[in-house]
Amino acid sequence: MPTEVILPRVDMDMTEGSITAWYVNEGDSVKQGEPLFDIETSKATMEIESPASGIVRNVTASVGDTVPVGTVIAWIYATGEAVREPEDAIEAATVQAPEVVSATADAPAVPSARELATASSRGANVGTRATPAARHLAREGGVALAEISGSGPLGRIVKNDVLAFVQRTTAAAGRSARLNRIWLQRGNAATIVLVHGFAAESNSWRPLWNAMRGAGMFADVGVLAIDLPGHGKSPDDDMSSLPEIAHAIEAVLTDEQVEQAHLVGHSFGGAVATQLAASSRVPVRSLTLLAPAGIGENCNWAFINGVTRANDRAALKAWLEELVQDATFIDEAFVATAEQQLARPGRREALERMANVYFRDGRLRFDITALLSSLYVPVRVVWGAADRILPIAHADRLAGTIAQHRLAGVGHLPQIEAGADVARVIGEQLR
Amino acid sequence: MNTAMSEVRELTYAQAINEALAIALERDESVFLMGEDIGVYGGAFQVTGGLYERFGPERVMDTPIAELAGAGIAVGAAMTGSRPVYEFQFSDFATLAMEQIVNQAAKMRYMLGGGVSVPVVMRFPAGSGTGAAAQHSQSLEAWFAHVPGLKVVQPSTPHDAKGLLLAALDDPDPVMIFEHKLLYKSKGVVPEGYYVEPLGKAVMRRQGADLTIVATSIMSVRALEAAETLAHDGIDAEVLDLRSIRPIDRQAIIDSVQKTSRLICVYEGVQQLGIGSEIAAIVSESEAFDALDAPIVRLGGADCPLPYNPQLERAAVPQVADIVDAARRLVGGRI
């Protein structure tokens, strides 16, 4: 029976790694313990050894690919063993009972713990792997296992992963009672919650708020803008996962006694809003996403680097103009605000760290499509056809049940470039 | 602080058994010993040395090489008022006496509605490591633990060898005692005089926080050695010596795993269908299931007849290094 070659977890908080070298080709022979491939994580490059002796087949990841921890990237077949297609091999592993001990010439007589681990890991691709203790703890704490990344073999969630997650999110929630927030308008029942994007801050919603007031649809509604960690006046707390940030936002909503939220998120803020919509204990009634990150695979990495590293106003202005179709939207005030943001001590470094976690090399390191499909509230997505930061082609991946508002001649800031249209879309979500 | 009755000193495991037998023969006239070469020769492992001289041929009987007959005599004697202690020369020869042990000794009390009991004790030198090869090295205790009506114990220390034997001689039901050959020369503190260790109770040999090792017989000794090494790695192992495999001290296992959340079962019997299988099932059927933070690990004997070659003989059975390795991987989150 073939042995799976799995992308291992080599760091505690690693969720994926990229393959930077293969030492064998399809069809080559390897011995157990020989180097198979190198993986690179955000921290280091590591050589990974072969778990078994045999012939390498069905390699599914190439140099340069990034795969989640636990993915089967190749199979090692014993000499003479019939090769199956990868799906069949997984099925075969499910059907056959695990062999714990076999007194063949190859196997050591007493099963080593490594053998036991291999035997127990030859299972089908189960939904979420978690130990009984982890499941019990997650149930008690009201935490969804799907939010936690596991540090055990095959990405199995162990008790410590749940504890660490709870600690981080509690700490995040604790810290985030300090997340800066601006009430643009106080309301009676529902609250529109505005979540800005990477390198922006809450005041960037003011042009949209002006347009909303003009639309006359928002008389009784609260409008609350929240600064993400490391942005605006919020503290520079490093949060390295969407669930952490979402929990921090949720803590603000609880703190502000928001009873029903209509979430509006722009770009990276759209991903945060989606994560929040999927897990919030504060009721979420609708979700409006403006050019959201996390649907397509790539983003404009040059832009992100350019903005965070711009050394003078002229350079910054040039990069900011990438945000819009019509450069006149980027006026001196806009640039000055952005410059002020970046001038805060530690702010550039915090943004660079965040960029490395979420957008490194222009690949989005998170995917919200699954979260979106789990929602039962009205979801509308607004996208500018001329968006040079997150191309509108990403929207082709959206499910048909999600309404799309595609705006011709608009770049990455529909809330500024087409404020009236965006105000109307948001207003319709309140009905 | 010593009393006249319970002076403390070191004896070997074999000497401790010898002392228990002597005490029993003195206290209770109905007790007698039987077995091949136990009398004049003093026993294949010198456990009964000196007893023939002290108590005579009516109390210490040499039997022919006829285990089925011997067991039958022991069962019959037990049913008619005696308390025989039948020593098998090797546990492997229990196979010849299965009918009398399983069909008669285990069942007579039940089949005769409690009208009779069978207070027989049978002792079995067991286990590998002496180069005695496939037919003289087995650990078959799991077979007997599978039979209702029997009690089965595996003492791992001289103290327990004496205490469990004396408790067995007080028990109205058949008790099978499996003594590991390599333990006969091991030394330990043994109180003088009469005392018993309760049948059916495990004993915690080492308290720990990071994982539970449930072990039987010589594996308890190896587990303690492993725990010393693991302590240097910062891994704190709890070692539970099961001592009794029928009945099993379920609560001790459950309580320990609830505390540590990780479990290794170490036993010499063949891994498949050995005592570790039962321990794992006990845990998974209990409230301790929700405490498990990793799969249960079993380290048992290899799936082959025990080899004669000394290196292969060692490789066929869990050693200290195997326990250390498994514990490191288990606690390190690699299992």
Side-chain angles (χ1 to χ4, degrees):
Chain A
M1 220 178 66
T3 307
E4 299 167 330
V5 177
I6 293 173
L7 194 96
R9 176 185 301 279
V10 295
D11 296 330
M12 270 298 288
D13 47 331
M14 173 188 170
T15 54
E16 57 184 19
S18 43
I19 309 230
T20 52
W22 270 104
Y23 295 103
V24 296
N25 292 315
E26 181 93 17
D28 281 352
S29 272
V30 279
K31 284 213 177 58
Q32 184 175 2
E34 281 179 356
L36 264 192
F37 60 94
D38 281 348
I39 64 172
E40 192 186 272
T41 67
S42 54
K43 296 202 181 124
T45 301
M46 271 203 62
E47 190 182 273
I48 303 301
E49 299 170 350
S50 178
S53 301
I55 300 174
V56 178
R57 294 206 189 280
N58 291 334
V59 176
T60 57
S62 322
V63 173
D65 285 348
T66 300
V67 293
V69 165
T71 310
V72 178
I73 59 172
W75 297 82
I76 311 269
Y77 281 81
T79 321
E81 199 176 348
V83 179
R84 300 185 185 84
E85 287 308 293
E87 303 76 45
D88 294 338
I90 291 170
E91 213 183 64
T94 323
V95 167
Q96 213 166 327
E99 311 152 279
V100 178
V101 185
S102 57
T104 63
D106 292 332
V110 175
S112 67
R114 181 199 290 270
E115 270 201 311
L116 295 168
T118 314
S120 69
S121 73
R122 281 181 198 161
N125 285 323
V126 296
T128 308
R129 288 182 206 260
T131 68
R135 288 181 190 275
H136 183 70
L137 205 55
R139 260 198 310 270
E140 287 201 323
V143 176
L145 287 173
E147 296 189 38
I148 306 173
S149 61
S151 65
L154 296 173
R156 186 190 296 140
I157 299 168
V158 296
K159 197 161 65 173
N160 274 343
D161 298 328
V162 179
L163 289 171
F165 177 81
V166 169
Q167 220 176 35
R168 273 201 311 273
T169 51
T170 311
R175 289 196 298 268
S176 74
R178 303 179 304 158
L179 275 190
N180 187 48
R181 71 226 49 188
I182 305 172
W183 279 103
L184 294 169
Q185 173 173 287
R186 294 271 181 183
N188 286 339
T191 303
I192 296 172
V193 179
L194 302 169
V195 187
H196 65 76
F198 181 75
E201 44 81 47
S202 291
N203 287 303
S204 65
W205 291 110
R206 291 192 185 273
L208 175 64
W209 174 231
N210 283 334
M212 284 163 76
R213 275 196 299 215
M217 295 161 100
F218 303 98
D220 270 337
V221 178
V223 181
L224 176 66
I226 302 175
D227 282 338
L228 290 175
H231 292 73
K233 296 199 175 80
S234 284
D236 286 336
D237 291 321
D238 279 342
M239 292 194 189
S240 57
S241 75
L242 280 178
E244 270 187 84
I245 302 180
H247 274 261
I249 303 280
E250 184 182 331
V252 174
L253 299 186
T254 310
D255 198 40
E256 293 293 329
Q257 295 174 316
V258 169
E259 285 168 20
Q260 293 176 57
H262 291 267
L263 302 181
V264 178
H266 172 242
S267 195
F268 182 72
V272 172
T274 305
Q275 176 71 57
L276 180 58
S279 61
S280 175
R281 276 168 288 207
V282 172
V284 171
R285 293 277 176 257
S286 74
L287 179 65
T288 307
L289 303 175
L290 314 177
I295 294 172
E297 284 184 353
N298 53 315
C299 62
N300 190 333
W301 182 237
F303 166 78
I304 291 174
N305 274 329
V307 164
T308 54
R309 294 178 192 173
N311 279 323
D312 58 67
R313 182 174 281 222
L316 185 56
K317 183 164 196 253
W319 281 114
L320 291 174
E321 283 172 357
E322 287 293 299
L323 285 167
V324 294
Q325 167 76 327
D326 178 354
T328 58
F329 280 109
I330 308 297
D331 56 16
E332 289 307 310
F334 194 106
V335 182
T337 311
E339 213 182 11
Q340 200 178 51
Q341 280 290 293
L342 292 168
R344 280 172 72 108
R347 180 52 54 86
R348 279 184 199 263
E349 290 77 11
L351 287 174
E352 274 195 49
R353 282 195 300 275
M354 192 170 168
N356 254 322
V357 170
Y358 292 104
F359 320 115
R360 188 163 48 86
D361 297 327
R363 291 186 71 116
L364 295 172
R365 305 282 160 171
F366 51 96
D367 189 324
I368 63 170
T369 45
L371 291 170
L372 281 171
S373 62
S374 76
L375 298 176
Y376 287 93
V377 296
V379 180
R380 292 174 188 246
V381 175
V382 179
W383 223 306
D387 191 328
R388 292 198 292 283
I389 310 301
L390 290 171
I392 195 174
H394 289 187
D396 295 343
R397 296 183 78 216
L398 287 168
T401 44
I402 292 174
Q404 294 186 31
H405 303 271
R406 295 178 172 232
L407 305 177
V410 168
H412 190 57
L413 301 182
Q415 66 269 40
I416 292 178
E417 301 172 75
D421 290 347
V422 172
R424 176 168 160 182
V425 167
I426 295 173
E428 284 174 7
Q429 291 276 59
L430 297 178
R431 301 235 170 273
Chain B
M1 202 174 81
N2 295 330
T3 69
M5 270 302 285
S6 57
E7 237 184 72
V8 159
R9 65 258 100 155
E10 282 212 339
L11 292 183
T12 65
Y13 189 100
Q15 287 169 337
I17 298 171
N18 186 291
E19 191 167 271
L21 293 171
I23 289 172
L25 286 162
E26 279 242 26
R27 280 175 102 228
D28 185 346
E29 268 183 15
S30 69
V31 173
F32 74 96
L33 314 185
M34 48 186 290
E36 293 154 28
D37 298 319
I38 64 154
V40 176
Y41 186 72
F45 297 94
Q46 288 300 301
V47 173
T48 50
L51 295 175
Y52 176 82
E53 288 76 10
R54 203 167 137 191
F55 294 96
E58 293 296 303
R59 308 289 303 284
V60 182
M61 296 183 185
D62 277 321
T63 62
I65 304 176
E67 283 80 6
L68 181 59
I73 289 165
V75 170
M79 284 169 67
T80 52
S82 297
R83 280 186 172 270
V85 181
Y86 185 25
E87 175 178 310
F88 281 72
Q89 200 156 87
F90 285 89
S91 68
D92 314 61
F93 305 148
T95 50
L96 294 146
M98 290 304 267
E99 150 67 26
Q100 287 297 328
I101 297 172
V102 174
N103 286 341
Q104 308 305 328
K107 294 173 171 63
M108 275 299 122
R109 194 186 108 208
Y110 295 89
M111 291 172 73
L112 298 180
V116 82
S117 82
V118 188
V120 64
V121 174
M122 298 191 186
R123 296 179 37 247
F124 301 89
S128 69
T130 61
Q135 295 170 333
H136 298 73
S137 306
Q138 293 168 88
S139 296
L140 300 172
E141 56 277 349
W143 286 0
F144 299 93
H146 192 60
V147 178
L150 298 179
K151 294 194 170 96
V152 184
V153 294
Q154 293 179 270
S156 72
T157 62
H159 180 287
D160 284 354
K162 177 176 171 184
L164 286 171
L165 178 48
L166 288 171
L169 281 164
D170 244 357
D171 202 285
D173 293 323
V175 182
M176 313 283 115
I177 307 181
F178 287 84
E179 303 157 1
H180 200 289
K181 304 182 193 71
L182 291 179
L183 289 176
Y184 281 134
K185 297 209 163 97
S186 70
K187 282 200 175 151
V189 168
V190 180
E192 269 194 26
Y194 181 86
Y195 68 92
V196 293
E197 282 293 325
L199 304 178
K201 278 270 163 232
V203 66
M204 190 63 72
R205 294 288 180 201
R206 185 184 197 279
Q207 302 265 4
D210 296 331
L211 76 149
T212 299
I213 306 176
V214 177
T216 53
S217 191
I218 197 171
M219 295 305 164
S220 173
V221 175
R222 290 191 189 157
L224 284 170
E225 253 190 76
E228 285 309 302
T229 305
L230 290 166
H232 292 308
D233 294 341
I235 296 176
D236 192 24
E238 176 147 299
V239 178
L240 183 68
D241 181 357
L242 210 53
R243 293 204 302 192
S244 177
I245 58 173
R246 175 174 269 276
I248 292 181
D249 191 347
R250 312 167 76 91
Q251 201 54 50
I253 299 169
I254 292 167
D255 289 345
S256 177
V257 174
Q258 284 214 285
K259 185 173 110 178
T260 67
S261 80
R262 295 178 194 87
L263 174 61
I264 297 180
C265 315
V266 199
Y267 49 110
E268 183 160 330
V270 171
Q271 174 155 319
Q272 180 175 303
L273 290 157
I275 194 64
S277 319
E278 182 64 25
I279 297 167
I282 286 172
V283 170
S284 115
E285 288 165 7
S286 76
E287 61 267 31
F289 171 78
D290 285 306
L292 282 172
D293 205 29
I296 297 171
V297 174
R298 295 178 303 164
L299 296 177
D303 205 68
C304 63
L306 284 147
Y308 172 66
N309 172 281
Q311 272 99 333
L312 291 179
E313 186 186 33
R314 277 181 56 81
V317 144
Q319 303 295 335
V320 174
D322 298 313
I323 304 173
V324 171
D325 182 58
R328 282 180 180 148
R329 285 174 185 279
L330 184 59
V331 175
R334 297 197 296 285
I335 291 182

